[in-house]
Amino acid sequence: MDISTGLASFSAMSDLFALLVNERDRQKATAIQVEFTNKLIEAQTHLSQLQGTVIEQQRLIASLEQRVRDMSAREAEKERYVLSKVGSHREFFAYRLRGAAELVERADEIDHFLCQPCFDSGKKVVLSGNGEGYWECPVCRHGSQTTHSKVSIRRRIAGG
Ligand SMILES: [Zn+2]
């Protein structure tokens, strides 16, 4: 329902009201009264439909504003990390927290890596290391040995 239809109803109502005031013939006055009532109902219907549309649009705007805020927050979070190679043994990549000098806000955060497939799909998962160069995502199990492990170095030294 558009505003012009609503306004047209009001305009028709005021024309009828003017007729009603000047009308001396009772029968005609009654007919005008009935028409006036019908126009009033029509205008009220238009108004309530218009009000429904406005409420619906306000809800849509609020939900879109929330989505924009969420997207901005996600983008700001992505900016805090940089894709980096982990270790030296394999081509294994993860998102590393940028250095303190590069970050605007950094509250005593320890250096860490985030799982690349998870972070790219919107999940923030810190990689776990076993202390011997093996890094793995605890959620999707994406992982790799990124340095020669102490065991394999010992084996190589021993000629194994
Ligand atoms: Zn993962």
Side-chain angles (χ1 to χ4, degrees), residues 115 118 137 140:
C115 172
C118 284
C137 171
C140 74

Side-chain angles (χ1 to χ4, degrees), residues 43-81:
Q44 281 171 337
T45 306
H46 288 162
L47 269 182
S48 71
Q49 284 170 339
L50 205 61
Q51 201 176 18
T53 307
V54 168
I55 290 168
E56 198 177 306
Q57 282 177 344
Q58 281 171 339
R59 256 188 235 132
L60 181 66
I61 288 167
S63 100
L64 288 174
E65 281 174 343
Q66 186 58 49
R67 276 180 65 185
V68 168
R69 274 194 298 272
D70 291 348
M71 282 169 71
S72 306
R74 219 174 302 142
E75 278 308 304
E77 184 65 6
K78 274 201 148 183
E79 282 301 307
R80 303 174 74 240
Y81 291 86

Side-chain angles (χ1 to χ4, degrees), residues 10 13-14 40-41 45 78 84 116 118 135 147 150:
F10 276 119
M13 277 166 48
S14 77
L40 184 65
I41 291 166
T45 306
K78 274 201 148 183
S84 314
Q116 178 262 313
C118 284
W135 291 88
T147 57
K150 286 172 191 162

Side-chain angles (χ1 to χ4, degrees), residues 114-119 121 123-127 136-143:
L114 297 182
C115 172
Q116 178 262 313
C118 284
F119 201 43
S121 66
K123 276 179 285 177
K124 186 178 171 179
V125 184
V126 177
L127 291 184
E136 188 185 59
C137 171
V139 171
C140 74
R141 298 291 164 201
H142 175 66

Side-chain angles (χ1 to χ4, degrees), residues 14-54:
S14 77
D15 291 348
L16 286 169
F17 194 73
L19 281 174
L20 181 66
V21 169
N22 296 327
E23 188 55 61
R24 294 199 176 161
D25 180 41
R26 274 192 68 80
Q27 272 191 330
K28 267 192 176 176
T30 306
I32 290 166
Q33 250 178 335
V34 168
E35 203 178 334
F36 178 82
T37 306
N38 287 342
K39 287 286 175 193
L40 184 65
I41 291 166
E42 198 180 306
Q44 281 171 337
T45 306
H46 288 162
L47 269 182
S48 71
Q49 284 170 339
L50 205 61
Q51 201 176 18
T53 307
V54 168

